[in-house]
Each structure stands twice: as C-alpha cells, then as structure tokens.
Amino acid sequence: MQLCQDQEPRVSDAIFRTKGITKVYKTGDVAVYALDGVDLDLYEGELTVLLGPSGSGKSTLLNILGGLDHATTGQVWFADTELTLMSDRELTKYRRDHVGFVFQFYNLVPSLTALENVQLVTDVSPNPMPAADALELVGLGKRMDHFPSEMSGGEQQRVAIARAIAKQPEILLCDEPTGALDSTTGVQVLEVLRDINERFGTTTVVITHNAEIQRMAHRVIFFQDGKISETRINETRLAPSEIVW
Amino acid sequence: MHAIDIKLLRDFKRLWVQAIAIALVLACGVAVLLTSVGMYTALSETRTAYYERNRFADVFAQAIRAPTSLLGEIAQIDGVLGVEARIVGDTLLDIPGRDETAVGRVLSYPDTGRPLLNVPLLLEGRFPAPDHPDEVVVNEPFARANGFHPADSFSANLRGQKHALTIVGTALSPEFVYTIGPGALMPDNESFGIIWMSDRAAAAAFDMTGAFNTVSLSLAARVSPDPVIDQLNDLLEPYGGLGAYDRSTHTSDAFLDAEITQLRGMATVLPPIFFAISGFLVSMVMSRIVALERSEIGLLKAIGYSNTEVCLHYLMLAGLIAIVGVVIGWLAGAVLARSLALQYAEFFNFPFVIFQVSYRVYAAAGLAGVVTTSLGAASAALKAARLAPAIAMQPPAPPRFKRSIADRAMSAMHLSQPTIMILRSLLRWPLRSLLTSLGIALAVASVVSSFFINDALDEIVDLAFYQTNRQDAILLFAQDVPEIAVESARNLPGVLQAESQQFQAVILHSGHLTKRVAIEARRPGTDLSRVLDVDGVALSAPPGGIMLSIRLARQLNVQIGDTVQAEFLSGRRETYDLVVTNLVEQHFGLGAYMDLAYLNALIRQSPHLSTINITRDDRYSDDLHAAIKRLPRVTGIVEMNENRRAFEDTIKQNVVVLNTIYIVIAVLITVGVTYNAARIQLSERARELASLRILGFNRGEVSYILVGEMMLIAIIAQPIGWFIGAWIAAAMTNSFSSDLYSIPLVLKPATFATSSLVVLISAFGSVMVVRHRLDRLDLISVMKTRE
Ligand SMILES: Nc1ncnc2c1ncn2[C@@H]1O[C@H](COP(=O)(O)OP(=O)(O)OP(=O)(O)O)[C@@H](O)[C@H]1O
Ligand SMILES: [Mg+2]
C-alpha cells in the first residue's frame, strides 16, 4: 500500500505529469518516433516555453497534452485524472472545459466576426467570461464586428488568444503563436499571453522557434529528436518588450 | 443565436447559387411526386366516390332483345345485388346549325324516376316525364359543345322518322366518364351525345316494348364477376346475348384505369431519379466544403465541439438546401397538382373532383427530400466527424499523381499542357467524373424520353389515318344489314367508293388464355380500311385464317401458324378453329381480321355488313349528310377527319405541355450538375489556375481548362444519355401499352440531336457563369490563402 502510493505522481503541485510517452507514426515500413519517451512535470500557474528544432516533437506533445491526440504508449495526467485512459468523448469534454488553444495560423472561422469567433467558444464552455470582455483583454474592443479578412495577422492572433482565454481555461496551449508575425506584433501577442498568465494564473505552454522568448518563461524545456534534452528554470524573467527579436 | 449557427447561415448564404441549383432539382422530385400522387389519388378517389354515389354497375351485358321476364332469373344469380335492364340504341341526330350529323346514344330512363344502377347525376333541369316521349336529358359535355340549354331542341332519326326532341335537363353518368362514340378514337363531345329518354319513349323508338337489350348488375362485396358472367351469358344466350363483361372491359372505366396506372407509374419512376441526382450533387458539394474547411473542423474540435456537433453542423447545411428544395417543391407541386387534376376532371367527365392531397403525402415527399440530401451529405459529414483534430489542423497531403499508361499516351500524342491537365483531372477522379456525366446524361434522357412521343404520335396518326383507315367516313347501322346496302351507299350523293365490313363479337381462346374482341371481316383487297404488317405490306386474310394484331397475338401467346378458337357470341354461338395467318401492325385496339365471304359461310348467314366505309367528293358533303339523315337504318356516321382532328388536338396539346415540362426539368438538372461541378473545379484549382495566369497564360487559355473539362464531361454524357433515354422510352412504350392503345417506339436522330442541343447549351451557359468568376479571380489573394 505504502509502496503504491509512493509510485503515484505527486498530484498536489504538478498540473501536468507525463510518464514515458511515445508517439509513433507509421508511414509505409518506416516508423517515425515523434515522441520517444517524454517524462515531464508542468506546474500550476507557470509559463513554460518549449524550444527545439523543427520535427523534434513539440507540436505532438502539445497536442497530446491538449487532448487533441493520443499517445502511442505512456501516461499523461491532468491534475489527478489520467488523459491517456480517456475516450474521445471524454477528451472532447476535457478540451471544452479546461483547455485553450492558440495556433500558429490563427485558425479563425472566416465567415464569423471577431466577436462571433470568440462566441464559438463561450457558447459551449461551462464558465466563460463575456466574449466582448475577452476581446477587450487583448485590446480589440473596438474591432469586435470585423471579419478576419479585415484584420492584420497580429490582430487575428489576438482574436485567437481572446477565443482561447474566453472560457477561462486552466491551461493555455500556444503552438508558435508568433510564428507568422513580425517582431512588434509578436511582442504585443506575447504581452497579452504574459498578462493573462499573471492576471488569472493560467498555466501556459508556448512553443516557439525564437530562443529569445525563453527569457520571459518560468520554465524552459528543450526538445531534441522526440526527447527532452534539457529543462531550465529562469530565476529572473524579462518582460516581452525587453526581448530582442 | 449560437456562433456556429451564424456560421451555418453565412456559409449557406455564400453558397446560395449552388444551393438553389441543387434545391431546384430536389424541388422537381418533390413536385413530381406530389403531382403524380395527388392526381393519382384525386382520380382514383373521385372515381371510387362517383361510382359509389351513382351506383356504377359491376357487370354489363347486351343482347338483341330479351324479355323483361328474364330479369327475375338474372336477379337469382348468386352474388347479384341489383339488376337493371335498359333499352340502349344509337341514332343519327340532326343538330340545328350543324351540317354534319351527330350520333346519339339513347338510354332508357325508368318511368319510376328511380334508376337502380348507373344513376345519372342531374346538373340542370329535370328528368324526362314518362308521358312526354319528346323530352330528353343529354350529357352535359354534349350540351356544352353544341351550346344547348334546357328547352332547346334537336331531332333524332328514330324508326326511320325524324323526331323532334326537347332538352329538359343535362346530366353526367359514371358510365360516361370517358365518353367515346362508336368508331371514334378520341372523345368528341360535339358529334357524340348521350340521350336519356323515358322508358316508354325508348321502347317505342327501338321497338322494345316488354323487352330490353342491355342489362347491368351490381354484385355483393367480394363476389368474383366471372361465375356471374358465365351464368348471365347462359341466360341471355337465347336472346342474342353478346357476352357479358365486367368493369375492366367497360370502355369508360378501362380508359380511366389506364390513366390511373400511368400516374402511379410516374409517381414511382420519376421522383427517385430527381432525388438521386440531388443526393449526388449534395454529396459532391459537401465533400468539397469539408475538404476546404478542414482546419476549421480541427479548430471546432480543438475548442471542444464534439464529433456529433461537427457532423450535425454539416448535415444541417445540407438540410437547409433540402428545406429550400422541399418548400419550392411543395409550392410548385400543390399548384401543379391542383391545376392538372382540374384539367383531368375536364377531360374525364366527372361532376366533381375530390382533390385532397393529404398532409401525409406532403410529409412523405418532404421526408424523402430531406433523407436523400442527408444521405448525400452523410459521407462528407461523417468524414468531418471522424477527422482527428490533430490531423485536421495539418494541411492535407498533396494528392498523389502517378505516371500511368494514360500519361505516357498523352505525352506521345503531343497534347498541349492545358489539355493534359484536363484529361489528368478527369482520370484522377474517375468516379466523380462518371457520376457528373451520369447526371448530365439523365438530363439528356429526360428530353429523349418525352420528345420521342412526338414521332411516335406522328407514326400513330400516319398508320391509323393515312395507311390503314383511308376512308373519309364510316356509316354505322343499328344492326347488321344485307350486304346489298353497300350498293345503295355507292349511289348516295358524292360517294366515290364504298366498301363493306362486318363485325362479330367473339372470345378468342388459346390454351387457357382468352380475349374478348370484335372480328372485322372484309372482302379481299379492300382499299379503304386496310391492314398492314410490320413492313407496311397490305394484308388480306385467306379463307380459314385469321389475322391478329401483334399485341393481341402476344396476349394470346400465339404466333403465325398457330390455331386459335373463336367462340362467336351472336348467332349460333359456335366455336371454330382458325389459323393465325398474319400479324398486323396496329396502335389502336386489339384487332382481329377475317375474310368476309368465309365468315358468312362459317356462321351460315347470307352476306351481311355492319358498317360501310366510304370516300366522297367533299363538294357534296352537305347533300350526303342530308341524304344519310333520311336513311332509316343508319345510326351514325364517323368522320375520319374529325376523328383525326380530335386525336391531334387533345393528344398533341398534352404532348406540348409534357415536352415543355421535360425540357425545364432537363435544364434544371443540367444547370444543377454543371454549375456545381464547375464551381468545385474552380475551387479546387483556383491556385493552379492562378499560377498559370501569373506564369503568363491569358484568360482564354486558363478558362479553357475549366470550360474544356466540363464540356468534355458533358459531351461524354451525350451517348450515355441517348442510351438511357432510349431505354426509358422503351420502358414507357411497354408500360403505356394497354388493350386500348399502344405507343410505338420511334427514335429519330432529330430527337437525340434536340436533347443534346438543349443539354449542351444549358451546360455551356452554366460553365460560362463560372468562367466569369474565374476571370475575376484575385490572383494575389488566391496565392496567399493556404490550402
Ligand atoms: N500525421 C503524421 N504522420 C506522420 N508523421 C508525422 C505526422 N505528424 C507529425 N509527424 C512527424 O512527427 C515528427 C514530430 O512532428 P511535430 O509536428 O511534433 O514537430 P515539431 O517539433 O512541432 O516541428 P515544427 O517545429 O516544424 O512544428 C516529425 O518528424 C513529423 O514528420
Ligand atoms: Mg510544430
């Protein structure tokens, strides 16, 4: 009994905990190990940055944490529930109730206005903030009735962030949120992310190719060939505006 | 409103031209279903109600002259509920202001004023009083066609004397829903009328006091008419019974029945075709939309929408198309069904129409529309539901092009690059290209299968009026007369030729198969009323032989050289073996032909005739009619020109309407298929085509790829469409063929050409509309959007 409990992850402080997760893609005869045994702890309220070369498995990990994808082997816990045991239906509910996503290509619905894009989320989540408030938070209170095609890339990405935070998620997962943006707009977007993280204590994971961005994170995880090659904790964090692109 | 529903409505708005193009095809299906089911139920319910209210009889029989005392015995037959005897006879009418004679069918009206069966429904005035022999009621269509009102009068040739008759009322009867005169091919209300006169007057006119020549029976529910018919025949035999028959052989009911059967066929064959096409179109459009919205699907799932919600979202888009189509179909169907049902009521002489398309038919048509579109959308919607969110967010794998034999062949042929692009795309989605082709082919088939009727009718008219029945008129007699009468006919004013013809009612037997027909007997080598074989060669029946129309031979399952037994229904009622010597090409009725001299000898009678065919000099037409009116035994004259005119007017008018409807349908199908296919082409190839433009190809060259591919598919569709059309036409000629008439399968190149022209022009028009979009393509934005 005693032994068993010791082997359980420490639920109290880690919001995410993974054990030996692998993700294998089989194309023809070759098996690609997108993830090759990842053990990781992410802590509540932290802003974590994932860094690593292209193809190292960052997006794959993020998708598994967000319940978008299944791991081939291994275990993932969100707080005290095991994601790897969940059915598709339960994963959908998990995403709906707890996770906010931000993608590199904004992924707004072109036929909906900024406000309606945010409402897409508030319509189905259990405890949302008003969609308009979410847009105010990202500084787009005046652009609510604009369609995606009428907005710049940075504005679109801020709409995407508003959409992700509107449900007041416990976790915010961002896959290269600044990838398609220039430095000034990139900084604006990062500031919004840090602001959310500090104001609501939302656990935030950000994938990026820009090594400088790590300096605003609590925790930086380096990826290499489907494995974590290094984890670093920042004692002092920079404000996004101080980051040199 | 939820954001996802807003997206649904905006998507629908963006797609509305495509949606309408599909919805209209669906609407055709719904409208045709409503119309045919509506008319079918209207006709059959009206018929049932009318027959019931006015007690249409179940069994009918004619005799030469039977005593009224026989009626008691007839009533004793098992299963018989009611018996009514009548005196029925045809007579020549002299209508004021009309040079040609008309024919009247006189029916006795019981002096009690309470007919038991076949009760005429009085529309105006009153029934004739028993003690006023000059009072008559006429059928309403006859009154209307001749402008008669109560108190008007005309005269009839009764017992060789001209009698003035006064109209006291107009009526309709369940016996004459379809009113067709003796020897006529189509109803002609002006020259044929039904005349009810008091029993006493009719008895005097036809010399039938204490006797009857027609009897109608009603049967108890679920009593089979066959044993009753047999017993009735036995009872009537000594009195010149001509063979009893049930409703299925009753002319009026048989025509009505043929029409109802056709409508039922229409209700089962046509709508599924439209539903299938709209289902296919929806599936084509929806799979494109799902392909385009891949990342949006991924996003919806990432933010917590379930697979079911995503699936429903896309099904509802198809559902909106279905709703638009169903509503248009309901409206069009309601209007069409009502107006056509009223037109039918006009054509068939019903006193009322029960037109009531039950809400269940609407619901069923609507459901059929929604279900087929949902089925069409199902595979795309399920694909959206099954798409794993992580995969959906990634761009789709580029389609794999493999170098195939076809590619090598194309490069060997030194085709231009755009042409190769066209061919390659056709081959890459062979199933889709094939189904698109099939859709267009169905449009072609729709025109073919309605236009062939024009040529078929021309052939019917040619064969019936120019090849076989070449007489100008037919003189009808109350009873067979000695053949010498043909000589007197030859001496009538203006008559050029006169030929005799005799009819004998028989039942033909071949094995267990039987058919009641009238044998026509004529002298060898007659020139006016001829019979032809399939090759158009004039035939004469040799002594001992019988010639059968092809359909009759088929019904009796006999061929040339086989023997049939002919049971004569009059005279000595004997049965003889006759050898089938020839088969006759014929579109009206089930003809059987014999040699007149042989027939007379066979049934041991002196030379007699039933009708005389004449040709005449039109200059003496009035004199001829005046002379005929004075002939005591002539009961009618059939004018072949009027017959032909009535046929052409009624049928051809209907065919013009039919052709128009089918052209509209073909255009709708073509536009629906081509426009959607071209829009999908454009959407899939926008980047490719834009790159070509950037590389320096001009608008014409780029649109050639789009227009060329669609038109190539349309051209491939043509022979398929001809084939399907010919097949549908053949199926239609089979299903329309009844004892009364048949439609020949005449397929002329012009029919195929017209069909192709209609379809290719509408296809080209639709593609050009899409080409217009291609011309306005914003090159930069196309290249910027990611797929
Ligand atoms: N659906 C798939 N099928 C096959 N292989 C895949 C699939 N998705 C990802 N991979 C492979 O898995 C590996 C990891 O991919 P992943 O997208 O996680 O990398 P990444 O670190 O996010 O790269 P990038 O920085 O370029 O986004 C890659 O080698 C990729 O080719
Ligand atoms: Mg990635």
Side-chain angles (χ1 to χ4, degrees):
Chain A
M1 210 51 175
Q2 191 68 36
L3 203 92
C4 271
Q5 254 181 2
D6 250 348
Q7 283 183 338
E8 285 290 300
R10 284 176 309 154
V11 170
S12 52
D13 35 5
I15 190 162
F16 271 122
R17 197 172 168 84
T18 76
K19 238 176 93 178
I21 48 172
T22 64
K23 177 76 184 179
V24 187
Y25 289 111
K26 281 214 172 68
T27 8
D29 304 333
V30 278
V32 178
Y33 275 79
L35 293 177
D36 190 7
V38 174
D39 299 306
L40 162 99
D41 290 338
L42 294 177
Y43 295 91
E44 193 155 355
E46 278 190 358
L47 194 156
T48 306
V49 162
L50 290 186
L51 276 173
S54 186
S56 56
K58 306 179 297 290
S59 298
T60 307
L61 175 69
L62 202 76
N63 287 343
I64 290 173
L65 292 183
L68 280 181
D69 211 349
H70 295 279
T72 310
T73 59
Q75 289 161 297
V76 182
W77 285 272
F78 167 72
D80 48 3
T81 50
E82 187 177 342
L83 292 186
T84 32
L85 292 180
M86 282 187 177
S87 66
D88 268 343
R89 188 184 297 268
E90 288 163 328
L91 280 179
T92 301
K93 187 163 162 32
Y94 159 69
R95 292 197 298 268
R96 178 185 293 213
D97 296 351
H98 306 288
V99 190
F101 280 102
V102 178
F103 303 98
Q104 178 180 0
F105 293 106
Y106 337 132
N107 271 315
L108 299 182
V109 176
S111 55
L112 296 179
T113 62
L115 185 72
E116 289 158 352
N117 261 289
V118 179
Q119 279 169 346
L120 211 47
V121 170
T122 56
D123 282 343
V124 293
S125 57
N127 180 33
M129 65 173 88
D133 292 3
L135 284 169
E136 291 287 356
L137 276 176
V138 297
L140 285 176
K142 293 206 167 63
R143 308 293 303 272
M144 287 198 277
D145 293 329
H146 288 218
F147 283 96
S149 57
E150 298 163 344
M151 288 187 281
S152 76
E155 286 159 349
Q156 290 184 53
Q157 191 60 300
R158 272 144 68 196
V159 175
I161 293 173
R163 188 176 60 193
I165 59 169
K167 66 164 70 159
Q168 314 212 43
E170 279 130 282
I171 332 136
L172 192 55
L173 303 175
C174 312
D175 195 344
E176 300 187 41
T178 57
L181 304 175
D182 66 43
S183 58
T184 345
T185 26
V187 167
Q188 283 174 358
V189 165
L190 290 176
E191 269 179 341
V192 170
L193 287 179
R194 202 185 62 150
D195 186 40
I196 302 292
N197 172 252
E198 278 173 4
R199 213 188 301 188
F200 301 104
T202 313
T203 314
T204 307
V205 183
V206 179
I207 294 180
T208 178
H209 278 285
N210 186 334
E212 292 301 315
I213 291 176
Q214 60 173 292
R215 297 169 67 187
M216 64 177 267
H218 296 107
R219 183 182 297 264
V220 185
I221 296 174
F222 290 88
F223 256 76
Q224 188 77 47
D225 298 334
K227 290 192 183 101
I228 294 173
S229 58
E230 190 193 341
T231 304
R232 192 186 296 162
I233 293 171
N234 285 337
E235 296 306 328
T236 54
R237 297 161 60 211
L238 287 185
S241 52
E242 295 165 303
I243 293 173
V244 197
W245 218 266
Chain B
M1 193 189 283
H2 287 266
I4 191 158
D5 299 326
I6 297 176
K7 169 180 183 307
L8 183 70
L9 292 181
R10 294 229 176 97
D11 286 348
F12 184 68
K13 214 172 112 193
R14 188 166 44 86
L15 284 170
W16 74 271
V17 184
Q18 281 172 278
I20 291 289
I22 300 174
L24 285 178
V25 177
L26 186 65
C28 279
V30 172
V32 170
L33 189 64
L34 281 183
T35 309
S36 46
V37 170
M39 281 171 27
Y40 163 73
T41 41
L43 271 195
S44 56
E45 277 175 20
T46 305
R47 172 171 75 164
T48 309
Y50 189 26
Y51 282 3
E52 213 162 279
R53 283 185 211 174
N54 291 57
R55 300 199 286 275
F56 184 50
D58 296 303
V59 172
F60 311 83
Q62 275 94 43
I64 304 284
R65 182 195 168 95
T68 25
S69 55
L70 194 66
L71 292 174
E73 274 178 80
I74 294 176
Q76 295 300 310
I77 299 175
D78 253 2
V80 171
L81 278 188
V83 180
E84 181 147 79
R86 280 185 303 181
I87 298 157
V88 176
D90 288 353
T91 178
L92 268 186
L93 305 179
D94 189 1
I95 290 165
R98 192 181 136 95
D99 291 331
E100 298 92 42
T101 50
V103 177
R105 175 152 302 162
V106 175
L107 309 183
S108 63
Y109 185 79
D111 289 351
T112 58
R114 276 192 300 277
L116 290 173
L117 300 172
N118 309 317
V119 182
L121 182 90
L122 196 67
L123 298 182
E124 240 187 324
R126 56 175 175 83
F127 280 109
D131 47 355
H132 281 90
D134 61 320
E135 289 184 354
V136 293
V137 162
V138 296
N139 64 323
E140 191 271 342
F142 175 67
R144 187 150 32 100
N146 286 294
F148 283 144
H149 296 285
D152 286 349
S153 56
F154 59 92
S155 57
N157 208 358
L158 298 169
R159 299 181 73 187
Q161 278 178 355
K162 211 165 155 171
H163 281 258
L165 300 174
T166 306
I167 298 174
V168 294
T170 60
L172 286 173
S173 157
E175 288 174 284
F176 301 102
V177 172
Y178 184 85
T179 318
I180 188 162
L185 298 172
M186 290 300 294
D188 182 10
N189 292 320
E190 203 179 327
S191 65
F192 179 66
I194 310 298
I195 296 165
W196 285 271
M197 65 171 65
S198 79
D199 213 0
R200 222 176 291 171
F206 295 98
D207 202 6
M208 286 275 174
T209 313
F212 66 90
N213 63 4
T214 301
V215 63
S216 311
L217 312 181
S218 63
L219 305 181
R222 279 183 288 282
V223 168
S224 157
D226 292 341
V228 176
I229 287 173
D230 288 343
Q231 293 178 61
L232 183 60
N233 279 341
D234 290 345
L235 286 176
L236 286 176
E237 193 188 328
Y239 308 102
L242 291 174
Y245 51 91
D246 63 6
R247 283 183 182 179
S248 68
T249 312
H250 190 277
T251 314
S252 167
D253 190 60
F255 267 98
L256 197 47
D257 212 64
E259 196 63 40
I260 289 174
T261 312
Q262 268 184 36
L263 285 173
R264 194 169 43 199
M266 198 166 124
T268 42
V269 174
L270 284 181
I273 295 179
F274 292 110
F275 289 139
I277 295 178
S278 35
F280 160 64
L281 290 180
V282 166
S283 115
M284 195 164 74
V285 170
M286 291 306 296
S287 26
R288 180 58 193 155
I289 290 174
V290 166
L292 274 181
E293 298 196 347
R294 214 180 135 87
S295 65
E296 287 170 51
I297 293 165
L299 171 87
L300 286 174
K301 292 187 175 183
I303 61 183
Y305 283 85
S306 69
N307 292 348
T308 321
E309 283 165 327
V310 170
C311 182
L312 272 180
H313 175 68
Y314 288 99
L315 277 184
M316 269 156 70
L317 188 58
L320 283 180
I321 298 177
I323 288 171
V324 173
V326 165
V327 170
I328 297 176
W330 276 347
L331 295 176
V335 172
L336 262 181
R338 176 169 290 273
S339 63
L340 285 178
L342 291 177
Q343 209 172 313
Y344 262 99
E346 202 53 17
F347 182 68
F348 292 112
N349 302 310
F350 283 117
F352 56 85
V353 189
I354 302 179
F355 182 77
Q356 198 188 53
V357 182
S358 117
Y359 68 91
R360 266 182 283 144
V361 180
Y362 280 88
L367 195 69
V370 171
V371 166
T372 40
T373 34
S374 306
L375 282 180
S379 98
L382 284 178
K383 194 176 162 205
R386 274 199 298 260
L387 210 55
I391 305 285
M393 308 295 282
Q394 297 167 347
R400 258 188 267 177
F401 281 94
K402 270 190 288 190
R403 250 184 102 74
S404 65
I405 305 170
D407 287 293
R408 250 165 270 150
M410 284 189 284
S411 52
M413 284 192 297
H414 299 288
L415 299 172
S416 73
Q417 208 53 42
T419 306
I420 290 179
M421 286 173 71
I422 290 176
L423 294 176
R424 200 170 278 164
S425 146
L426 279 186
L427 295 172
R428 174 153 36 121
W429 288 287
L431 185 67
R432 189 170 80 186
S433 310
L434 198 78
L435 286 176
T436 310
S437 238
L438 197 62
I440 299 174
L442 286 174
V444 178
S446 138
V447 186
V448 170
S449 62
S450 91
F451 264 65
F452 97 94
I453 295 178
N454 291 313
D455 295 327
L457 288 180
D458 284 345
E459 179 162 315
I460 289 176
V461 169
D462 183 59
L463 184 64
F465 295 101
Y466 297 105
Q467 303 291 331
T468 55
N469 297 307
R470 305 196 294 183
Q471 66 274 49
D472 293 330
I474 307 170
L475 300 183
L476 309 173
F477 296 87
Q479 281 161 22
D480 286 4
V481 294
E483 205 181 354
I484 193 79
V486 76
E487 295 305 327
S488 352
R490 222 164 262 150
N491 292 327
L492 289 169
V495 168
L496 301 175
Q497 285 168 288
E499 290 177 354
S500 55
Q501 187 162 300
Q502 193 188 127
F503 288 91
Q504 286 293 335
V506 295
I507 296 178
L508 295 181
H509 298 264
S510 166
H512 66 284
L513 301 168
T514 63
K515 198 75 209 173
R516 189 193 146 108
V517 295
I519 288 182
E520 289 181 39
R522 59 273 299 281
R523 296 280 171 195
T526 49
D527 186 45
L528 300 183
S529 173
R530 307 190 305 165
V531 289
L532 306 176
D533 68 6
V534 227
D535 303 318
V537 179
L539 301 169
S540 290
I546 186 167
M547 307 191 292
L548 303 180
S549 75
I550 294 169
R551 272 178 304 133
L552 180 54
R554 204 178 300 146
Q555 285 201 14
L556 292 170
N557 194 21
V558 291
Q559 265 122 36
I560 295 177
D562 291 349
T563 305
V564 292
Q565 287 79 47
E567 178 191 345
F568 284 79
L569 296 174
S570 60
R572 293 166 211 266
R573 305 182 66 92
E574 287 162 333
T575 301
Y576 304 100
D577 281 357
L578 297 169
V579 177
V580 179
T581 57
N582 294 95
L583 295 185
V584 175
E585 170 95 325
Q586 197 177 49
H587 303 305
F588 286 108
L590 298 175
Y593 304 88
M594 283 179 74
D595 179 68
L596 181 52
Y598 178 76
L599 178 73
N600 283 329
L602 193 66
I603 59 176
R604 281 161 283 168
Q605 67 171 12
S606 59
H608 270 67
L609 58 79
S610 318
T611 61
I612 299 176
N613 299 316
I614 58 166
T615 54
R616 59 149 179 251
D617 187 335
D618 280 337
R619 283 174 299 175
Y620 304 105
S621 181
D622 294 354
D623 298 340
L624 177 63
H625 275 276
I628 288 170
K629 285 174 196 168
R630 287 193 301 270
L631 290 179
R633 301 219 256 190
V634 174
T635 57
I637 176 163
V638 177
E639 290 286 345
M640 294 309 277
N641 278 335
E642 283 186 25
N643 232 320
R644 195 184 63 234
R645 184 185 42 74
F647 179 81
E648 288 181 333
D649 285 0
T650 327
I651 300 287
K652 288 235 158 157
Q653 224 169 11
N654 288 346
V655 170
V656 170
V657 175
L658 195 77
N659 285 343
T660 319
I661 292 177
Y662 277 74
I663 285 189
V664 170
I665 285 172
V667 170
L668 287 180
I669 293 178
T670 313
V671 172
V673 173
T674 331
Y675 181 78
N676 276 298
R679 281 293 299 269
I680 287 169
Q681 285 293 334
L682 178 62
S683 139
E684 280 173 354
R685 301 182 135 201
R687 275 165 88 82
E688 201 178 19
L689 299 179
S691 350
L692 287 180
R693 290 273 284 120
I694 290 165
L695 289 178
F697 283 78
N698 64 28
R699 287 207 168 122
E701 287 162 333
V702 169
S703 51
Y704 162 71
I705 297 172
L706 178 85
V707 178
E709 176 166 351
M710 283 318 303
M711 291 315 286
L712 185 60
I713 290 180
I715 287 166
I716 292 171
Q718 300 308 310
I720 308 175
W722 297 337
F723 188 80
I724 300 175
W727 182 77
I728 294 178
M732 274 167 70
T733 57
N734 278 337
S735 76
F736 286 4
S737 158
S738 64
D739 286 5
L740 307 166
Y741 54 87
S742 72
I743 295 173
L745 182 62
V746 187
L747 293 165
K748 292 195 174 157
T751 301
F752 294 118
T754 315
S755 317
S756 292
L757 206 63
V758 168
V759 168
L760 287 176
I761 288 176
S762 6
F764 190 67
S766 323
V767 183
M768 288 317 278
V769 173
V770 180
R771 189 209 130 125
H772 186 60
R773 295 181 82 94
L774 175 61
D775 288 346
R776 287 179 318 181
L777 206 62
D778 179 351
L779 299 182
I780 321 268
S781 75
V782 169
M783 295 312 286
K784 265 202 323 208
T785 53
R786 85 196 171 97
E787 274 267 347

